[in-house]
Amino acid sequence: MRAQISQFQARAITALKPAIDWYHSREQREQKVLQLLALVVALLLLVSLVWMPAWDMRAQQRDSWQAQEKLRAWIAANEPVIRQLQASSGANSMAGDWMSGLSRSAAAASVTLKSINQEADQSVRVQLENQPFDAAYLWLQALSGQGIQVASAEVLPGAGSGRINLRATLKQAL
């Protein structure tokens, strides 16, 4: 390993020999200017190769932290709804007439069902119109905890900001 380092040093000195000789042939004043120029170039390299990437990474991390903080605030703001859904869910699955269970759970989640239709394959087609996205999402999430799966869903923007129109086919999990 030391032999390789020695060989590298010898090649570097040989390659830089003309530049070193040229530098020593300059007057003292020119050598000071060249030293100052080398210092400026070294500082520019330090800034562009170390400082700027670190600064950019800091900005990215700050933005990521702010996004995480917004998510945490959203979760904290919706905690009562989640607790209400957990309390209203009761058992883990809806037994018997699960269509009426869908209606009850939607009401508990503050979601208004526009229509609910039984399909031939024992699935249920539900339609929500102009409902808050977060309430609809939490309702569907609560249904999955009760043994009901979303087989298909179509989500379209509603009349206002944060509101959706939803058509979904729900099936009981086996």
Side-chain angles (χ1 to χ4, degrees):
M1 181 73 168
R2 288 186 184 194
Q4 292 174 341
I5 293 173
S6 299
Q7 287 176 346
F8 177 74
Q9 287 176 339
R11 279 188 253 154
I13 290 172
T14 305
L16 294 175
K17 180 82 169 125
I20 293 170
D21 290 341
W22 176 82
Y23 173 77
H24 288 299
S25 70
R26 302 289 104 194
E27 293 181 17
Q28 184 73 16
R29 198 174 84 200
E30 289 176 339
Q31 287 180 359
K32 293 285 184 196
V33 169
L34 288 172
Q35 289 172 357
L36 182 63
L37 182 60
L39 180 65
V40 168
V41 168
L43 285 174
L44 286 174
L45 285 173
L46 178 70
V47 166
S48 65
L49 296 177
V50 176
W51 181 260
M52 292 306 293
W55 190 260
D56 291 343
M57 182 61 71
R58 178 191 170 276
Q60 287 175 352
Q61 292 300 318
R62 185 187 63 235
D63 293 344
S64 174
W65 178 79
Q66 288 173 344
Q68 292 294 324
E69 194 59 28
K70 284 180 184 177
L71 177 61
R72 187 202 58 75
W74 181 86
I75 290 170
N78 288 299
E79 183 180 7
V81 175
I82 294 169
R83 298 275 183 231
Q84 181 184 16
L85 287 173
Q86 287 174 340
S88 69
S89 67
N92 272 348
S93 65
M94 293 183 188
D97 184 17
W98 62 286
M99 284 181 53
S100 64
L102 288 175
S103 298
R104 283 191 308 273
S105 69
S110 301
V111 173
T112 305
L113 293 173
K114 181 179 180 192
S115 67
I116 181 167
N117 301 315
Q118 180 100 27
E119 300 289 322
D121 61 350
Q122 299 303 315
S123 63
V124 174
R125 185 114 170 118
V126 295
Q127 185 173 353
L128 310 176
E129 214 171 79
N130 202 29
Q131 297 297 306
F133 171 79
D134 55 345
Y137 175 77
L138 290 172
W139 175 61
L140 292 173
Q141 195 69 21
L143 289 178
S144 70
Q146 297 172 1
I148 297 176
Q149 298 175 334
V150 177
S152 66
E154 178 184 357
V155 180
L156 300 170
S161 177
R163 301 191 80 65
I164 61 165
N165 296 327
L166 170 75
R167 280 185 239 141
T169 303
L170 308 174
K171 292 185 175 185
Q172 280 188 316
L174 299 175

